[in-house]
Amino acid sequence: RAHARVEVYLGLCLRVIVAITNYEQGENPGRTKLVA
């Protein structure tokens, strides 16, 4: 069960990173956005 919890945690962390990256890149339209 702990393994599944770690996977969920990593998935959430990845989503947060992508969201922050997309937000930052949104202020720089010249860069491509990550899609997840």
Side-chain angles (χ1 to χ4, degrees):
R1 294 289 172 244
H3 181 69
R5 188 175 299 170
V6 169
E7 286 188 0
V8 170
Y9 179 75
L10 291 177
L12 288 174
C13 288
L14 183 60
R15 282 178 183 239
V16 169
I17 292 169
V18 171
I20 291 172
T21 303
N22 285 342
Y23 176 77
E24 291 180 348
Q25 290 180 349
E27 299 180 359
N28 298 286
R31 290 198 265 167
T32 57
K33 289 191 175 186
L34 292 175
V35 178

